[in-house]
Amino acid sequence: MIHLALFATLAFPVLSQNLTAAISNQQNLTQFSNLTSSAANFTTILNNQGQNATLFVPINSAYTYQNNSGMVSVNVTSPFLNQSISNALNLTNLLSYHLIPGQSLQLNVSNSSSQMLFHTPESRNQSVEIFYTALNDTQAVMLPGNNSQVLIVHNHNDTNPYIKFGPYKEANVLQGGNATNGVWYSLDSVLVPPRNLSFTLLQANLTMMYSILKASNMSNQLENTPGVTLFAPIDSAFPSNFNASNMTMANSFIQNYTVISNKTAYYSPLFLNNSIPQNEATMAGQNLSYTSQNWSNITVNGSQIVNSDILTMNGVVQMIDKFFNNNMNSTALPPIQAPAGASFWKQVFG
């Protein structure tokens, strides 16, 4: 059964080194170690974590190259664009997105190199949890309450855990170890911080939704307002005669498929845990009615989420398979429930 829970404990040997020293001794993590030495701000953040932090470290093969000036070219495959981290601020942001402060996650790591490139719905037997990272630069993240950017971690029952980032990319957790100020886990991909909504829609091949956003006069609002959740139908859901360039129609469509919350964007674990506030509605006033049998079977107003948790700078895109059922009667949603020990819920809902 898929549920939200604290991840199972995996015992690592207790070491006398901090995270910086621990990863520097790992032969396949030298690229990340070199990057941290070039980012004094991140090193300070990392060394001030006390005894509880989780650091995700891409293995060397996850990078293309690093030059003497500190520029790193991240190997980001299609449909992502290659990106260069060319200054200290961007480098600090990139590294900070790999750090979960205040929590030492205990993931079910088998230390096996056998991983799936992308997990199909049939393979999704796992716990799903939201964690705040150390990425809090206001030029890179705009979430409600000035919260830092999130990672959504999937703790898999059959293979190693993974982190989904972007529409079609997953970073598999390979190995792990302890340090005096937390735990570290190696990844087979670099975690690229989320971008703005327009860029993300193009990444996800949601070209109709992108065209609608640009045809509306609401693009600036949705790009710069914290807590935006956009339910985006796949391109094939649109009829051939749909006029995506009509501003009036575009505005109406955006309003019917967007929720703006001053507490949080609506990530899939919130649906799974029945934590969407009662009577939550879209910008057009349409109440959300949802079912969530498991992580691979979440429906909202009659539409199934087929690609969940596509993160943006200021929220999330939930890709759905068809238009909402506008005739669906609104139903009372269950009250907010916060699982014990889950800091995301405590911070968001109190």
Side-chain angles (χ1 to χ4, degrees), residues 207-284:
T207 56
M208 286 295 293
M209 202 73 226
Y210 173 83
S211 298
I212 292 169
L213 179 65
K214 291 305 178 183
S216 74
N217 62 3
M218 303 176 65
S219 178
N220 186 63
Q221 178 185 4
L222 266 63
E223 298 276 10
N224 295 287
T225 301
V228 169
T229 301
L230 176 63
F231 296 94
I234 58 177
D235 281 4
S236 60
F238 290 84
S240 58
N241 62 347
F242 188 92
N243 185 359
S245 62
N246 181 284
M247 187 177 72
T248 301
M249 183 178 291
N251 285 344
S252 177
F253 196 92
I254 291 292
Q255 291 170 350
N256 274 285
Y257 286 83
T258 302
V259 176
I260 298 179
S261 169
N262 62 3
K263 289 184 177 292
T264 179
Y266 290 140
Y267 311 106
S268 65
L270 296 177
F271 291 100
L272 290 170
N273 198 51
N274 295 328
S275 294
I276 306 298
Q278 290 186 7
N279 301 320
E280 184 62 275
T282 66
M283 296 178 69

Side-chain angles (χ1 to χ4, degrees), residues 48-338:
N48 287 338
Q49 290 305 309
Q51 296 182 345
N52 294 301
T54 300
L55 181 63
F56 293 106
V57 188
I59 58 177
N60 292 341
S61 60
Y63 305 91
T64 301
Y65 67 87
Q66 180 190 0
N67 64 22
N68 293 331
S69 67
M71 179 181 292
V72 58
S73 177
V74 181
N75 182 19
V76 187
T77 56
S78 180
F80 292 91
L81 303 178
N82 289 330
Q83 301 177 49
S84 294
I85 309 302
S86 56
N87 59 60
L89 176 62
N90 286 343
L91 178 57
T92 298
N93 286 344
L94 176 71
L95 298 175
S96 296
Y97 195 50
H98 291 74
L99 175 65
I100 297 176
Q103 297 187 76
S104 294
L105 305 189
Q106 302 300 315
L107 305 180
N108 293 323
V109 178
S110 65
N111 290 332
S112 168
S113 60
S114 176
Q115 300 294 330
M116 295 183 179
L117 293 178
F118 194 78
H119 293 79
T120 63
E122 292 77 15
S123 70
R124 292 167 175 170
N125 298 315
Q126 63 224 257
S127 296
V128 187
E129 186 64 278
I130 311 168
F131 297 99
Y132 286 113
T133 69
L135 174 55
N136 58 8
D137 173 25
T138 55
Q139 295 183 22
V141 55
M142 294 180 292
L143 293 180
N146 293 320
N147 283 320
S148 56
Q149 189 55 267
V150 302
L151 284 178
I152 299 182
V153 181
H154 299 247
N155 207 25
H156 211 278
N157 292 340
D158 304 318
T159 61
N160 280 3
Y162 66 93
I163 300 167
K164 182 175 182 290
F165 66 99
Y168 305 107
K169 187 69 174 174
E170 293 170 354
N172 292 294
V173 179
L174 304 177
Q175 295 178 314
N178 266 333
T180 56
N181 57 339
V183 295
W184 61 266
Y185 295 97
S186 60
L187 301 177
D188 62 2
S189 297
V190 176
L191 299 176
V192 180
R195 304 285 291 274
N196 64 33
L197 179 59
S198 297
F199 183 90
T200 303
L201 291 174
L202 288 179
Q203 277 188 323
N205 296 323
L206 293 167
T207 56
M208 286 295 293
M209 202 73 226
Y210 173 83
S211 298
I212 292 169
L213 179 65
K214 291 305 178 183
S216 74
N217 62 3
M218 303 176 65
S219 178
N220 186 63
Q221 178 185 4
L222 266 63
E223 298 276 10
N224 295 287
T225 301
V228 169
T229 301
L230 176 63
F231 296 94
I234 58 177
D235 281 4
S236 60
F238 290 84
S240 58
N241 62 347
F242 188 92
N243 185 359
S245 62
N246 181 284
M247 187 177 72
T248 301
M249 183 178 291
N251 285 344
S252 177
F253 196 92
I254 291 292
Q255 291 170 350
N256 274 285
Y257 286 83
T258 302
V259 176
I260 298 179
S261 169
N262 62 3
K263 289 184 177 292
T264 179
Y266 290 140
Y267 311 106
S268 65
L270 296 177
F271 291 100
L272 290 170
N273 198 51
N274 295 328
S275 294
I276 306 298
Q278 290 186 7
N279 301 320
E280 184 62 275
T282 66
M283 296 178 69
Q286 179 184 1
N287 284 357
L288 294 183
S289 177
Y290 71 94
T291 62
S292 55
Q293 296 179 8
N294 52 51
W295 183 72
S296 60
N297 190 8
I298 301 173
T299 62
V300 180
N301 289 11
S303 303
Q304 184 169 0
I305 296 178
V306 292
N307 193 342
S308 65
D309 303 323
I310 305 171
L311 303 180
T312 67
M313 291 173 59
N314 62 327
V316 67
V317 174
Q318 303 289 5
M319 189 186 298
I320 55 178
D321 64 343
K322 60 183 180 181
F323 286 4
F324 280 168
N325 180 0
N326 291 323
N327 295 322
M328 180 175 291
N329 293 325
S330 61
T331 57
L333 299 179
I336 296 169
Q337 299 174 357

Side-chain angles (χ1 to χ4, degrees), residues 35-49:
L35 288 176
T36 60
S37 65
S38 302
N41 289 343
F42 178 74
T43 302
T44 300
I45 294 170
L46 186 59
N47 291 338
N48 287 338
Q49 290 305 309

